[in-house]
Amino acid sequence: KAGVTQTPRYLIKTRGQQVTLSCSPISGHRSVSWYQQTPGQGLQFLFEYFSETQRNKGNFPGRFSGRQFSNSRSEMNVSTLELGDSALYLCASSSSGGGTNEQFFGPGTRLTVL
Amino acid sequence: AQSVAQPEDQVNVAEGNPLTVKCTYSVSGNPYLFWYVQYPNRGLQFLLKYITGDNLVKGSYGFEAEFNKSQTSFHLKKPSALVSDSALYFCAVRDYNTNAGKSTFGDGTTLTVKP
């Protein structure tokens, strides 16, 4: 089975621009979560989608949004980029979304905002 | 609310020695606990989990973890460390009624194993 894939792997943007990141979960997985990883803040939960519905949301401003498609692929969008948005963005998928399931992570998208 | 603490930013051990990476947690109900490892420029990889049952859980690459309910701890251990174990380790917790997508992670512990 192919793992979780994320595209692109690296992005460089300037302040004020917007960006869209993509995540393809493991086949059959319906839960997709997004995390922001920075050296100072660690892993911060952004949101989770399950069967095309946002099920959980972290404490991020409205500039961060996402969606999930019927094939479980997910996209994350960040509008009006700020320098502080520079981070590694990780996507993780889980099979049924039940609490006992571990998550499988993609390699991440490294976003640099100049 | 759920939270995780990894009290050590860095753990250094010599190859062949036992290693311990500490984790304590706080949840309102029964916890589900996980350990993940991250190598440079990679995503997190699942190592092991505690859901219920035996307090000693065995996982990938020879790692194990001991669940201690009274001390609210879930320390990661390995009897004999390898240089290749050097990486960033994350403990994660989830309350029993929280779904898989919303895990709370600790800040991570960098493990360095020296030859």
Side-chain angles (χ1 to χ4, degrees):
Chain A
K1 248 183 186 179
V4 178
T5 58
Q6 292 187 246
T7 56
R9 291 292 311 277
Y10 301 92
L11 266 178
I12 299 176
K13 294 285 187 179
T14 56
R15 279 180 299 173
Q17 288 186 309
Q18 77 165 23
V19 66
T20 299
L21 313 182
S22 181
C23 170
S24 292
I26 290 173
S27 178
H29 285 192
R30 294 163 62 192
S31 168
V32 174
S33 297
W34 289 89
Y35 295 87
Q36 182 194 65
Q37 184 177 18
T38 58
Q41 298 294 320
L43 268 164
Q44 302 289 314
F45 172 75
L46 280 154
F47 29 66
E48 184 219 0
Y49 288 87
F50 185 82
S51 294
E52 301 180 65
T53 300
Q54 187 180 87
R55 190 162 65 170
N56 285 299
K57 190 176 190 307
N59 297 322
F60 277 81
R63 300 185 296 106
F64 292 82
S65 63
R67 59 178 174 168
Q68 187 180 34
F69 302 95
S70 58
N71 62 357
S72 292
R73 190 177 71 85
S74 177
E75 287 182 348
M76 186 191 109
N77 185 275
V78 187
S79 62
T80 319
L81 284 166
E82 301 177 358
L83 294 179
D85 297 332
S86 294
L88 180 67
Y89 290 88
L90 293 168
C91 166
S93 75
S94 180
S95 55
S96 68
T100 60
N101 293 321
E102 62 270 25
Q103 293 179 292
F104 295 83
F105 284 80
T109 294
R110 172 77 61 186
L111 172 64
T112 302
V113 182
L114 302 176
Chain B
Q2 53 196 35
S3 65
V4 175
Q6 293 181 240
E8 301 160 317
D9 291 337
Q10 180 99 24
V11 170
N12 298 312
V13 298
E15 187 174 31
N17 282 0
L19 69 87
T20 298
V21 183
K22 296 180 180 177
C23 170
T24 59
Y25 67 89
S26 175
V27 296
S28 56
N30 291 325
Y32 295 152
L33 294 153
F34 304 80
W35 275 103
Y36 292 85
V37 60
Q38 185 178 34
Y39 297 99
N41 300 315
R42 303 275 296 275
L44 278 67
Q45 296 177 34
F46 169 73
L47 279 178
L48 50 78
K49 64 182 177 182
Y50 172 82
I51 303 302
T52 187
D54 284 343
N55 290 340
L56 185 64
V57 178
K58 294 187 184 296
S60 306
Y61 312 119
F63 284 94
E64 58 189 31
E66 186 166 12
F67 171 65
N68 188 315
K69 188 172 183 178
S70 62
Q71 296 185 3
T72 62
S73 67
F74 188 57
H75 300 332
L76 181 70
K77 301 180 179 184
K78 188 174 183 181
S80 179
L82 300 172
V83 172
S84 57
D85 293 330
S86 298
L88 182 58
Y89 289 80
F90 289 96
C91 180
V93 70
R94 182 184 309 158
D95 188 277
Y96 76 101
N97 64 356
T98 302
N99 49 51
K102 190 180 180 184
S103 297
T104 297
F105 286 81
D107 290 338
T109 298
T110 299
L111 171 67
T112 302
V113 181
K114 297 183 178 177

